[in-house]
Amino acid sequence: NLHIALREITEATAQTVEVKRVSVWLYNSERSKIECVDLYDATTHCHSSGMTFWKANFPVFFQALEQERSIA
């Protein structure tokens, strides 16, 4: 189950790297937006998802995504 795997991965990553938030975002097929498929908050031990960023609203951010594999 992808949903369960992502929850485990984000929790383990937060513990390993000692950060408070870890998230996984995926592009839609047109690459016009990204959607959060899992965000783990280590402070509250909660997961959330569904947030969306549209390329039209954040062009500089999407340009950085196109140039880098990840953004810290």
Side-chain angles (χ1 to χ4, degrees):
N1 182 317
L2 180 61
H3 180 71
I4 293 170
L6 289 173
R7 290 174 64 97
E8 292 176 3
I9 290 167
T10 53
E11 286 184 32
T13 301
Q15 290 175 338
T16 302
V17 200
E18 297 179 347
V19 295
K20 293 183 181 181
R21 292 176 63 176
V22 176
S23 57
V24 176
W25 296 73
L26 298 176
Y27 276 105
N28 66 341
S29 59
E30 297 83 24
R31 297 180 72 89
S32 61
K33 69 176 181 176
I34 55 173
E35 183 173 349
C36 180
V37 291
D38 189 69
L39 182 146
Y40 175 66
D41 185 323
T43 303
T44 62
H45 304 284
C46 291
H47 291 265
S48 59
S49 63
M51 295 76 67
T52 301
F53 287 156
W54 289 90
K55 185 175 187 175
N57 296 338
F58 301 96
V60 174
F61 180 74
F62 276 78
Q63 182 180 8
L65 282 177
E66 291 169 6
Q67 294 173 354
E68 302 294 332
R69 183 162 166 36
S70 64
I71 297 175

